[in-house]
Amino acid sequence: MAIPDEAPTAEELAEGVLRRLVRGGTWEGVANEIAWKAVQATGSDRSCLEWLPGLVEDALSERAEGLEFALDREQVSARLEHLRSWPQDLAGAETAASLAASEEAAAGAALAYLQVLEWAMELLARRLAHEPKPRRARLRLLRRGPSEYEAELPPLVAESLDDGQPRYGWPSRPEAA
């Protein structure tokens, strides 16, 4: 089975989706954005922005590194699924593999963003809970747990996390013989 040369590799898809995630900025800029959102959501002191972006960037990079391997698996799975239904449609199998990997790449990058944002908010919330505060401030913190903090996601991230989209391909598949 020959694979067309123009099909993007998992590495190319991962690089593309990460470029899309930074939205014309830099990786450091996304880390600063996430740190800022976490500080705003938790009401933490802005001095946290001196050390938090570095931690966020490391956590985000760690999650991004595994993206390529997940895309390899997704491409193989989609290609095989397509060929089970249409064994002679090699071009369609490659298209299905590219589409599945593209969707997985977008969802994976968005999930990494969300997980790092939630992690940063939890980190700040735990730090706030352990800081000595006047009695009134302590009582207010006890009423609000880390899971109650919310931060607005960029539209690109929110759209990629939307599970309501139908899967690519034909609306109905022929029955396997």
Side-chain angles (χ1 to χ4, degrees):
M1 164 173 38
I3 297 174
D5 291 337
E6 64 269 1
T9 65
E11 180 180 7
E12 292 168 339
L13 287 169
E15 287 175 9
V17 77
L18 294 175
R19 272 193 311 274
R20 185 174 174 231
L21 181 66
V22 301
R23 301 177 309 276
T26 64
W27 198 244
E28 182 181 348
V30 172
N32 286 332
E33 174 185 305
I34 291 172
W36 173 254
K37 287 179 180 292
V39 166
Q40 289 295 103
T42 59
S44 296
D45 188 73
R46 290 188 179 151
S47 65
C48 294
L49 293 172
E50 295 172 13
W51 55 269
L52 185 59
L55 294 176
V56 166
E57 187 172 355
D58 290 346
L60 199 55
S61 294
E62 185 178 303
R63 284 170 175 79
E65 285 177 11
L67 187 58
E68 181 182 333
F69 302 108
L71 299 182
D72 273 333
R73 286 190 306 271
E74 187 66 26
Q75 282 180 318
V76 169
S77 172
R79 186 178 297 115
L80 291 175
E81 179 184 338
H82 187 87
L83 289 173
R84 273 194 296 275
S85 298
W86 297 283
Q88 303 302 319
D89 186 14
L90 299 179
E94 291 309 313
T95 300
S98 292
L99 287 172
S102 293
E103 290 171 2
E104 181 68 22
L111 185 59
Y113 184 104
L114 178 63
Q115 288 172 338
V116 172
L117 176 59
E118 288 174 344
W119 169 80
M121 289 189 304
E122 288 176 25
L123 178 70
L124 292 175
R126 284 194 307 267
R127 184 170 183 207
L128 280 173
H130 292 354
E131 283 182 356
K133 299 279 184 194
R135 181 166 167 66
R136 179 175 275 172
R138 270 196 307 247
L139 292 175
R140 186 171 39 108
L141 282 174
L142 290 176
R143 290 192 307 256
R144 185 174 185 153
S147 62
E148 295 175 13
Y149 295 112
E150 291 184 23
E152 187 175 333
L153 295 174
L156 173 78
V157 172
E159 290 168 8
S160 295
L161 290 171
D162 183 18
D163 289 334
Q165 299 175 1
R167 187 169 171 150
Y168 63 91
W170 297 91
S172 60
R173 305 227 173 192
E175 293 298 319

